[in-house]
Amino acid sequence: MQTLLMTGASRGLGRIAAERILRRRPDVHLVVTARGGTLADDLRASTGNPNVTALTCDLTSAAAIRATAADLADRLDSGALPPLHGFAGNAGLQLTSRACATADGIEPTFAVNVLANFLLVRLLWARFTAPGRIVLTGSDTHFGDLRHNLGMVPAPRWEPVAELASPRPGERTAADGRRAYSTSKLAVVHLVHALARRLPEGVDVYTFNPGYVPGTGLVRDAGPVVRFFSRTVMHALIATPFAMSAASAGELLAEAVTGPRPGESGAYVDRRRVTPSAPESYDLDREEQLWRELCALEPVEML
């Protein structure tokens, strides 16, 4: 038996992936994070697999993430859970501005999409057992061009981490929120590259890009017009190469997390295959700067 930690399993492609893993991998004990509720019970009922544990965690709170990681580490060390072989960082957030702040004073998109993944991996670093696999969900919006974002999301705008993590009270438009999202997904690719150079031998890390997936809840913070547009016109894109259903994307996420090794550690898995990420994402100096500044923002004494 092995343990797999997963965020973002409550809805959309993450929920589909969690159910696929539980149905097909009886050797996996799935640990999911949730703000509360009945997620573990629901997954047990829908899959018939009892090997599910839910840990309460608010991914916008560094203190909550640290407490959850400590709880998981205790369970692993005591033998209450089998060894940790994987982490799927699937939770994602997109807001309609860049003006909001978490209780820690961090811009929420950056907090959930980047900082939470960094913290969970760093805190549990010594618990990952080879062969292990870490998969962080990315987005082709990090390319910043019409082909990849269909004109819906502004291109990323890179800044030092202190700036990326800071709310901008003056940036209150939906375009500002979407740019924060695309930039956070560029940061995810940089983080994966930095991790690939540091993780222990036998522990791989990948970015998984599901493409555009209508109906995942990512636009739940948007206004009614955008939500309606997403449910109708954009949902119709599933019949084209530009989009994918949550069921199909969840299947591919499950495969990326528990299937055959996709490729060399650090690779970008675009739906079904390894492809290059955006040219801008290959910047060693920027990746190392991101790593240093994340370590400074949230210093970690590994559990």
Side-chain angles (χ1 to χ4, degrees):
M1 288 289 290
Q2 58 181 265
T3 292
L4 167 65
L5 173 65
M6 184 174 186
T7 66
S10 62
R11 60 166 66 90
L13 68 97
R15 179 61 172 268
I16 299 295
E19 291 179 346
R20 296 290 192 275
I21 291 167
L22 287 168
R23 289 191 180 110
R24 297 174 184 176
R25 290 292 302 269
D27 62 323
V28 169
H29 188 106
L30 185 65
V31 176
V32 293
T33 63
R35 285 176 172 263
T38 61
L39 179 57
D41 289 337
D42 294 345
L43 287 170
R44 292 188 198 105
S46 65
T47 65
N49 189 336
N51 297 320
V52 190
T53 298
L55 300 180
T56 302
C57 186
D58 176 0
L59 293 174
T60 69
S61 166
I65 293 169
R66 290 174 183 272
T68 297
D71 184 0
L72 178 55
D74 287 345
R75 297 180 193 224
L76 293 165
D77 293 347
S78 70
L81 288 173
L84 179 65
H85 283 263
F87 169 54
N90 178 63
L93 187 65
Q94 179 179 301
L95 301 178
T96 53
S97 81
R98 197 181 162 187
C100 301
T102 68
D104 297 333
I106 305 295
E107 195 282 314
T109 308
F110 186 84
V112 173
N113 297 0
V114 183
L115 190 56
N117 287 320
F118 166 80
L119 263 178
L120 284 168
V121 172
R122 285 291 288 153
L123 289 164
L124 295 166
W125 194 277
R127 302 306 191 288
F128 285 105
T129 303
R133 188 179 303 174
I134 295 166
V135 176
L136 306 185
T137 298
S139 168
D140 46 14
T141 60
H142 86 277
F143 281 86
D145 57 18
L146 183 63
R147 174 189 168 195
H148 291 91
N149 63 26
L150 304 180
M152 298 186 295
V153 181
R157 182 177 61 210
W158 191 256
E159 300 170 289
V161 167
E163 297 299 317
L164 295 176
S166 298
R168 297 286 183 83
E171 296 186 10
R172 294 184 171 276
T173 70
D176 295 323
R178 292 175 190 141
R179 187 185 298 278
Y181 176 79
S182 64
T183 306
S184 76
K185 292 304 184 178
L186 175 60
V188 165
V189 183
H190 284 324
L191 177 58
V192 165
H193 293 167
L195 284 168
R197 292 191 288 272
R198 291 172 167 83
L199 284 165
E201 185 72 25
V203 180
D204 295 332
V205 60
Y206 303 97
T207 306
F208 168 72
N209 171 42
Y212 180 63
V213 185
T216 62
L218 193 61
V219 297
R220 59 186 177 275
D221 188 58
V225 173
V226 172
R227 294 200 303 272
F228 175 78
F229 188 70
S230 178
R231 288 195 309 269
T232 55
V233 177
M234 300 310 294
H235 195 272
L237 289 176
I238 289 173
T240 76
F242 295 107
M244 181 174 289
S245 69
S248 296
E251 181 80 33
L252 293 177
L253 174 58
E255 181 74 4
V257 174
T258 62
R261 187 171 187 252
E264 292 300 311
S265 185
Y268 183 78
V269 183
D270 184 7
R271 301 165 179 87
R272 296 178 174 86
R273 61 193 179 94
V274 170
T275 64
S277 50
E280 186 182 1
S281 71
Y282 298 96
D283 187 323
L284 180 61
D285 291 340
R286 185 187 287 178
E287 291 161 6
E288 291 301 301
Q289 179 191 36
L290 173 68
W291 182 263
R292 291 192 301 270
E293 293 186 16
L294 286 172
C295 289
L297 183 63
E298 283 294 341
V300 168
E301 181 177 340
M302 288 181 283
L303 300 169

